[in-house]
């Protein structure tokens, strides 16, 4: 990446939406601009876990403002990430469809573990180089992430459904602070976080860091009260807890350093943070400068080249985990990408890379059942935690895996997307050509695109030399019937 390149990350949190714009300079990203709006989308989930119209409108309005600022940024230089509220929302597709449109860029819903990985990257990138073993705690609006790591490598990641917005709604609904309410909130938080004890034991880390809103807000208040800058202690938390009880309600809080936007969720945030301190036996926590949005920015750098793209390593790990025939998977991937590159317009390297991943994983379901391996493979990809991947990315890979056989029109997929359709066709043709599990003879074989028509051509005599392959390719014509696309197979 060239020095001076601008990158942007949008973090759709449960409490706030944030926009971070940075400039790449000699391996580092320097902040150019930072925008934050308190949207409180986490408050907008109803009893059926649907986002209310008002919550969606607040989010869309914020994204439209961010979109105006991002106008002109290339798509490859912007990453928008959504977290727990949109993981939970049953009507998230409605929000994401409109939200991506007004923002001008796709919004990725990431899993809890992937959110944790990005948080750690953001924290680690803004800390001095050190071999210290770190515990990173990020208390968000509706989830809390815990990470153990060293330098830039996270060794353990976890996400729990407990956060400042959710706990404020549940235990401090009227903004009233009582001893009983705090006790109930802390007990409930510990019950959710209890399983963290197995992994995040005190001897597994040396320094604890708190990132994002709650830790930052508490650190600011304690510093304003005369405490050390950027440090949260047990004594400080006890003092702050006592001040909230004395105030009796959120409206009556008078604390220097507490921003107005934090007033409504401070009770829930403090109760979860106190629970984390008690459960993990933390005496002192440093307030980190980095967070999810910085992690998303540095992830853009890693994704630029295949060799540094974490998703490639993740795919290799899944292949090993599910006993995939490596040689055959690489054979199918190589064939599929060759066909795709022949037929696709210039500048499709990212789409080709995703096709390569899908082809390498096309037999991932064979460990469960060979006959329905395509369906099992799709299920695995829809329900696995895969570092570096957003939830929609995994779903799209799953559709490609599921679509490697059978009638195309039965797929629940967007057949109006020409790039996806070409990926799907290339995958299906490659699986057919590699049916004998040896390298196919593709000399003189070419794939072309003409509008909604694909034309597959072979050299003279190819069909006679490879009759079974020719038969499978001709059968593929039938699979595309009753779709908006036509496949023509020319095998002289």
């Amino acid at each position: 990446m060239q020095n001076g390149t601008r990158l942007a990350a949008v973090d759709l949190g449960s409490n706030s939406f944030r926009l971070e714009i940075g400039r790449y300079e000699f391996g580092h990203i320097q902040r150019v601009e930072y925008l934050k709006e308190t949207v409180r989308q986490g408050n907008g989930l109803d009893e059926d876990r649907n986002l209310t119209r008002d919550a969606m409108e607040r989010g869309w309005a914020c994204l439209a403002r961010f979109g105006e600022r991002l106008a002109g940024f290339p798509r490859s230089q912007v990453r928008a990430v959504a977290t727990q509220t949109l993981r939970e929302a049953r009507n998230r597709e409605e929000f994401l469809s409109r939200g991506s449109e007004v923002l001008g860029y796709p919004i990725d819903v990431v899993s809890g573990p992937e959110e944790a990985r990005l948080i750690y990257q953001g924290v680690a990138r803004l800390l001095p180089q050190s071999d210290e073993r770190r515990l990173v705690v990020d208390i968000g609006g509706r989830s809390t992430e815990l990470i153990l790591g060293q330098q830039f490598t996270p060794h353990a990641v976890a996400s729990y459904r407990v956060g400042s917005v959710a706990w404020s709604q549940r235990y401090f609904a009227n903004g009233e602070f009582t001893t009983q309410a705090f006790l109930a909130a802390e007990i409930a938080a510990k019950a959710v976080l209890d399983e963290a004890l197995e992994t995040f034991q005190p001897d597994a880390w040396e320094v604890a860091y708190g990132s994002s809103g709650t830790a930052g807000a508490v650190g600011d208040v304690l510093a304003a009260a005369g405490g050390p800058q950027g440090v949260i202690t047990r004594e400080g938390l006890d003092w702050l807890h006592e001040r909230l009880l004395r105030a009796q309600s959120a409206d009556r809080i008078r604390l220097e350093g507490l921003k107005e936007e934090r007033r409504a969720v401070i009770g829930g945030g403090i109760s979860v943070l106190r629970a984390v301190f008690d459960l993990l036996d933390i005496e002192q926590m440093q307030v980190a400068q980095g967070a999810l949005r910085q992690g998303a920015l540095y992830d853009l750098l890693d994704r630029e080249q295949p060799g540094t793209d974490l998703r490639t390593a993740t795919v290799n790990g899944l292949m090993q985990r599910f006993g995939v025939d490596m040689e055959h998977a690489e054979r199918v991937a190589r064939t599929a990408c060759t066909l795709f590159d022949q037929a696709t317009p210039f500048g499709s390297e990212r789409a080709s890379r995703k096709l390569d991943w899908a082809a390498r994983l096309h037999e991932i379901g064979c460990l469960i059942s060979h006959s329905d391996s395509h369906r099992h493979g799709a299920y695995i990809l829809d329900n696995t935690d895969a570092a570096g991947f957003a939830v929609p990315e995994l779903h799209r890979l799953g559709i490609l895996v599921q679509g490697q056989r059978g009638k195309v029109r039965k797929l629940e997929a967007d057949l109006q997307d020409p790039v996806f359709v070409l990926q799907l066709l290339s995958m299906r043709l490659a699986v057919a050509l590699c049916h004998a599990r040896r390298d196919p003879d593709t000399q003189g074989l070419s794939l072309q695109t003409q509008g909604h028509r694909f034309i597959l051509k072979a050299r003279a005599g190819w069909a006679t030399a490879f009759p079974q392959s020719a038969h499978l390719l001709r059968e593929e014509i039938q699979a595309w019937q009753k779709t908006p696309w036509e496949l023509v197979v020319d095998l002289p």
Side-chain angles (χ1 to χ4, degrees):
M1 183 171 288
Q2 291 184 341
N3 288 328
T5 299
R6 292 186 306 162
L7 301 167
V10 180
D11 171 8
L12 283 70
S14 297
N15 192 51
S16 303
F17 285 8
R18 296 174 169 89
L19 168 62
E20 181 93 14
I21 299 176
R23 180 183 294 109
Y24 175 77
E25 297 284 356
F26 302 103
H28 297 281
I29 299 174
Q30 302 296 326
R31 174 181 283 182
V32 172
E33 190 170 350
Y34 171 57
L35 301 176
K36 173 186 172 184
E37 293 193 21
T38 303
V39 177
R40 294 221 173 89
Q41 224 180 22
N43 279 343
L45 283 176
D46 63 20
E47 292 180 355
D48 296 322
R49 296 216 319 271
N50 285 313
L51 280 173
T52 63
R53 175 58 55 173
D54 184 53
M56 289 197 287
E57 293 287 354
R58 291 198 305 270
W60 290 334
C62 175
L63 292 174
R65 290 187 284 273
F66 285 179
E68 181 180 352
R69 178 62 186 86
L70 290 172
F73 273 71
R75 180 169 170 170
S76 62
Q77 291 167 213
V78 178
R79 180 97 191 271
V81 175
T83 55
Q84 184 61 37
T85 295
L86 286 167
R87 286 198 289 269
E88 290 185 54
R90 290 180 173 175
N91 59 343
R92 71 182 182 191
E93 292 306 324
E94 180 183 357
F95 177 82
L96 292 171
S97 176
R98 176 68 179 148
S100 297
E101 181 182 340
V102 298
L103 180 64
Y105 302 89
I107 299 170
D108 291 335
V109 179
V110 295
S111 67
E114 175 63 6
E115 179 182 356
R117 185 190 71 81
L118 290 172
I119 288 167
Y120 184 80
Q121 288 301 320
V123 170
R125 291 287 184 173
L126 271 66
L127 285 174
Q129 286 280 4
S130 168
D131 286 329
E132 66 186 11
R133 292 177 297 137
R134 298 164 178 156
L135 166 68
V136 175
V137 179
D138 187 298
I139 300 173
R142 294 188 72 89
S143 69
T144 292
E145 281 67 47
L146 303 179
I147 310 99
L148 293 176
Q150 197 168 16
Q151 296 185 346
F152 298 131
T153 304
H155 297 307
V157 297
S159 179
Y160 303 91
R161 290 174 62 170
V162 51
S164 62
V165 173
W167 252 235
S168 293
Q169 278 185 302
R170 189 176 302 178
Y171 298 99
F172 309 98
N174 299 317
E176 296 178 357
F177 299 139
T178 66
T179 301
Q180 292 79 6
F182 269 106
L183 181 60
E186 289 175 29
I187 290 173
K190 288 178 183 177
V192 175
L193 294 165
D194 187 58
E195 65 183 73
L197 280 172
E198 294 182 15
T199 303
F200 300 90
Q201 298 175 0
D203 61 357
W205 51 272
E206 296 167 329
V207 183
Y209 291 93
S211 70
S212 201
T214 296
V218 171
D220 288 344
V221 170
L222 296 182
Q229 191 72 34
V231 177
I232 301 171
T233 62
R234 278 182 180 267
E235 293 77 11
L237 272 179
D238 291 342
W239 172 83
L240 184 51
H241 174 241
E242 184 61 33
R243 289 295 300 268
L244 296 185
L245 288 175
R246 209 179 301 172
Q248 297 184 336
S249 72
D251 292 339
R252 296 175 58 185
I253 298 174
R254 299 293 181 269
L255 285 171
E256 188 177 348
L258 181 66
K259 297 176 182 176
E260 185 63 29
E261 68 204 42
R262 277 281 149 191
R263 182 182 298 271
V265 297
I266 190 64
I270 291 295
S271 61
V272 175
L273 188 55
R274 281 167 57 88
V276 170
F277 263 66
D278 285 349
L279 201 64
L280 302 186
D281 198 20
I282 300 172
E283 293 295 332
Q284 179 174 292
M285 177 180 284
Q286 308 291 325
V287 178
Q289 299 304 307
L292 172 65
R293 59 191 181 276
Q294 285 88 4
L297 286 178
Y298 278 97
D299 209 45
L300 284 172
L301 293 184
D302 293 339
R303 288 181 169 204
E304 189 183 28
Q305 299 296 331
T308 57
D309 194 330
L310 175 63
R311 294 171 295 180
T312 299
T314 296
V315 167
N316 291 336
L318 286 171
M319 291 169 67
Q320 294 177 6
R321 179 178 169 189
F322 288 94
V324 169
D325 181 339
M326 299 284 187
E327 185 177 357
H328 184 61
E330 291 174 5
R331 177 186 299 119
V332 172
R334 187 167 57 248
T335 305
C337 290
T338 297
L339 292 170
F340 181 83
D341 293 341
Q342 287 175 354
T344 197
F346 178 75
S348 59
E349 189 275 333
R350 290 175 184 269
S352 182
R353 195 187 308 176
K354 291 180 179 181
L355 172 61
D356 176 83
W357 295 331
R360 289 174 181 273
L361 296 171
H362 82 283
E363 290 189 335
I364 194 175
C366 286
L367 192 65
I368 300 172
S369 167
H370 183 77
S371 60
D372 285 325
S373 63
H374 57 306
R375 295 191 182 93
H376 293 305
Y379 178 85
I380 289 169
L381 291 172
D382 267 336
N383 293 276
T384 194
D385 290 323
F389 283 100
V391 173
E393 281 183 306
L394 286 172
H395 181 65
R396 183 156 171 150
L397 292 185
I399 292 177
L400 288 172
V401 169
Q402 183 180 355
Q404 65 182 279
R405 65 172 77 160
K407 294 288 178 61
V408 175
R409 60 184 171 84
K410 292 184 178 180
L411 280 179
E412 294 181 5
D414 182 8
L415 294 181
Q416 301 300 322
D417 180 351
V419 174
F420 170 77
V421 171
L422 183 55
Q423 288 174 320
L424 180 62
L425 175 64
S426 300
M427 166 90 101
R428 291 172 65 94
L429 293 175
V431 170
L433 287 166
C434 298
H435 69 93
R437 305 186 81 83
R438 60 173 178 264
D439 290 345
D441 184 346
T442 57
Q443 186 176 359
L445 205 64
S446 66
L447 182 63
Q448 300 173 346
T449 305
Q450 292 181 359
H452 275 59
R453 173 181 291 180
F454 298 110
I455 302 172
L456 181 67
K457 294 183 178 180
R459 68 180 187 273
W462 186 91
T464 303
F466 306 103
Q468 177 64 9
S469 295
H471 170 71
L472 293 173
L473 294 180
R474 291 189 179 107
E475 278 197 333
E476 184 66 15
I477 296 173
Q478 307 300 318
W480 289 88
Q481 290 181 349
K482 297 183 180 180
T483 76
W485 302 84
E486 179 187 5
L487 175 61
V488 177
V489 176
D490 184 3
L491 303 177

